Amino acid sequence: MRLFIAIELSEEMKRAAAQAQDGLRRQRVGGNYTPAENLHMTLAFIGELPSAERATAALRAVDFAPFSLTADGVGCFGDLWWMGVRADPALDALARIVRRALADAGVPFDRKRFRPHVTLLRRASAAPRVIPEIRPASMRVDRFCLYRSERGKNGMIYTALDAFAANRPEA
Ligand code: 2AM
């Protein structure tokens, strides 16, 4: 199964992302828009594994305190357009300890540098003339999830297999 670890977005954050997607659509930017139910922020991409067991066991050991995440601007990696989040040491620390827990347990994952983003659109047909504004939005992160990713008839289906809650007091 294909696995990845991500933060689910609050409804407020999803609305901000959807509004940015509307801004791109209005400019007739085509491509593969992420449906609302699939919007998320990846912490680590594991890829194909025969079972989720080892990853789940590794993630149980992750210690972290809740923190807040604030939407911040739209950008792109080539033809992939995303909504960013404000630089946050607590978010970077969570990605680091999640990745360390996987590495310590021998679970393989994509080691590319963590660049926090919420994918809005893949394979954009063109660049927008005007970068959409993001309405102010933030959320409290008090858990992260291990997801399975499958190709469905109408696109990708992401299923949360397990959730891992913050277990330290808020800083
Ligand atoms: P993306 O949104 O930038 O494509 C499920 O595929 C999630 O894992 C997506 O959020 C995707 O990021 C992320 N991901 C990170 N590294 C990946 C990789 N090497 N292959 C596929 N998805 C990856």
Side-chain angles (χ1 to χ4, degrees):
M1 60 181 79
R2 191 178 165 93
L3 300 172
F4 68 96
I5 298 160
I7 294 171
E8 310 153 277
L9 298 186
S10 67
E11 288 307 312
E12 185 188 342
M13 293 286 272
K14 284 189 176 190
R15 277 195 297 275
Q19 199 182 37
Q21 289 176 315
D22 287 344
L24 294 168
R25 282 197 190 93
R26 270 199 304 275
Q27 299 181 63
R28 303 192 193 293
V29 178
N32 187 359
Y33 282 87
T34 309
E37 68 272 18
N38 282 359
L39 291 165
H40 65 272
M41 210 194 62
T42 298
L43 294 169
F45 179 77
I46 296 175
E48 282 295 331
L49 276 188
S51 114
E53 222 170 288
R54 224 150 31 107
T56 306
L59 296 171
R60 293 255 168 267
V62 168
D63 268 337
F64 76 106
F67 58 94
S68 63
L69 205 58
T70 301
D72 188 26
V74 170
C76 68
F77 304 143
D79 64 359
L80 182 153
W81 286 80
W82 44 253
M83 176 176 86
V85 293
R86 194 170 292 164
D88 186 325
L91 174 62
D92 289 342
L94 178 58
R96 202 167 46 244
I97 55 176
V98 160
R99 289 167 179 229
R100 192 185 312 130
L102 296 176
D104 288 351
V107 177
F109 61 95
D110 187 333
R111 306 250 175 180
K112 274 202 296 287
R113 187 164 65 86
F114 177 55
R115 292 202 283 184
H117 65 280
V118 176
T119 297
L120 301 173
L121 166 65
R122 291 187 172 81
R123 292 188 291 282
S125 60
R129 290 177 307 282
V130 182
I131 306 291
E133 299 271 324
I134 292 286
R135 70 154 86 156
S138 59
M139 66 177 279
R140 183 180 149 87
V141 178
D142 56 11
R143 59 182 221 161
F144 64 88
C145 295
L146 175 65
Y147 285 90
R148 182 175 63 207
S149 157
E150 296 162 289
R151 193 168 292 282
K153 236 181 2 205
N154 300 311
M156 299 310 288
I157 300 171
Y158 299 150
T159 310
L161 300 178
D162 231 316
F164 304 88
N167 52 359
R168 291 219 317 254
E170 192 144 2

